[in-house]
Every structure is written in C-alpha cells, then in structure tokens.
C-alpha cells in the first residue's frame, strides 16, 4: 500500500477551508467554479492550480464560508451559500461570489453580525 504525498499549497488550504467551514464537497466547489470534480481533487492534493480568477473566487468563497461559520454549522453554511436569498434579490450567494460581487454577500452577513434577523 502506497501513500500519496499531498503537497500543501495556498489553493489546497483554501479548498480544505471550504470543506471545513462551508461543508462544501468537491463536487459543490466544482459546480460553483464550473470545473470538473477531478480538477478540484487535484487542487486539493496540491497538483496544478486554477486560473488567478478562480483562485480569487475560491479565496472569497472561503472567506464568506468562514464568516458564516460564526453563525451556522458547516451543513447550514453549505445550504445558505447555495440557496436563493431574499436579501440578495433571490440570487444565490455563491453565484454573486462567482461574479465578483462578494461585497454584497458580506453585507448580508454583517447584518447577521449586527443581530438583524435574516
């Protein structure tokens, strides 16, 4: 039995954070980013790297997931990210993050932090 050594990279740490804080599975991340699940697996193992645009999206998504983890369990974060949100005009948070509109999602989370019911 051989152990495959995993090379830790910035991207592999971000993907691990998405799984830890956001409860996201590899296929979720792949669907959000428009890549295949095996591609996400390679990134998780430190093999290859996404484009800078996808790296930025992964980093922003991870930051949002970590902020949400202050309020929700990982499976709830996953649902929150993937569900249409009334305070985002019915759009899914991860779609906005993917479009470079993370600030709008973070504004909603800041309302959570202020004790405003969402």
């Amino acid at each position: 039995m051989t152990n495959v050594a995993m090379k830790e990279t910035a991207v592999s740490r971000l993907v691990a954070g998405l799984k830890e804080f956001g409860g996201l599975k590899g296929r979720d991340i792949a669907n959000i980013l428009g890549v295949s699940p095996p591609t996400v697996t390679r990134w998780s193992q430190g093999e290859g790297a996404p484009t800078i645009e996808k790296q930025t999206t992964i980093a922003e998504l991870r930051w949002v997931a970590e902020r949400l983890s202050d309020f929700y369990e990982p499976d709830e974060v996953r649902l929150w990210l993937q569900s249409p949100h009334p305070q985002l005009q019915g759009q899914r948070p991860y779609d906005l993050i993917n479009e470079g509109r993370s600030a709008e999602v973070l504004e909603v989370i800041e309302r959570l932090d202020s004790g405003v019911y969402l």
Side-chain angles (χ1 to χ4, degrees):
M1 185 162 60
T2 54
N3 288 336
V4 176
M6 197 169 102
K7 185 171 95 177
E8 189 171 283
T9 64
V11 172
S12 69
R13 287 189 298 274
L14 289 170
V15 171
L18 283 173
K19 292 176 179 181
E20 176 185 350
F21 295 111
L24 295 173
K25 316 263 187 278
R27 73 178 176 279
D28 298 325
I29 298 166
N31 288 337
I32 291 167
L33 297 172
V35 298
S36 70
T39 296
V40 174
T41 299
R42 283 193 297 277
W43 296 341
S44 296
Q45 295 171 345
E47 299 170 9
T51 64
I52 192 67
E53 293 83 10
K54 289 200 187 315
Q55 287 181 43
T56 301
T57 300
I58 294 167
E60 290 177 1
L61 188 59
R62 192 228 181 257
W63 170 242
V64 168
E66 185 174 355
R67 287 289 292 129
L68 285 167
S69 74
D70 291 341
F71 309 101
Y72 302 116
E73 293 298 317
D75 60 329
E76 295 170 316
V77 171
R78 180 176 181 253
L79 183 61
W80 196 95
L81 287 169
Q82 297 186 55
S83 299
H85 199 285
Q87 292 192 20
L88 296 169
Q89 292 73 47
Q91 295 183 57
R92 296 179 299 195
Y94 77 72
D95 287 333
L96 294 177
I97 295 165
N98 214 3
E99 294 170 10
R101 297 167 57 192
S102 299
E104 295 171 51
V105 177
L106 289 168
E107 284 177 25
V108 172
I109 296 169
E110 290 308 315
R111 290 184 212 130
L112 265 178
D113 205 16
S114 301
V116 176
Y117 175 75
L118 300 179

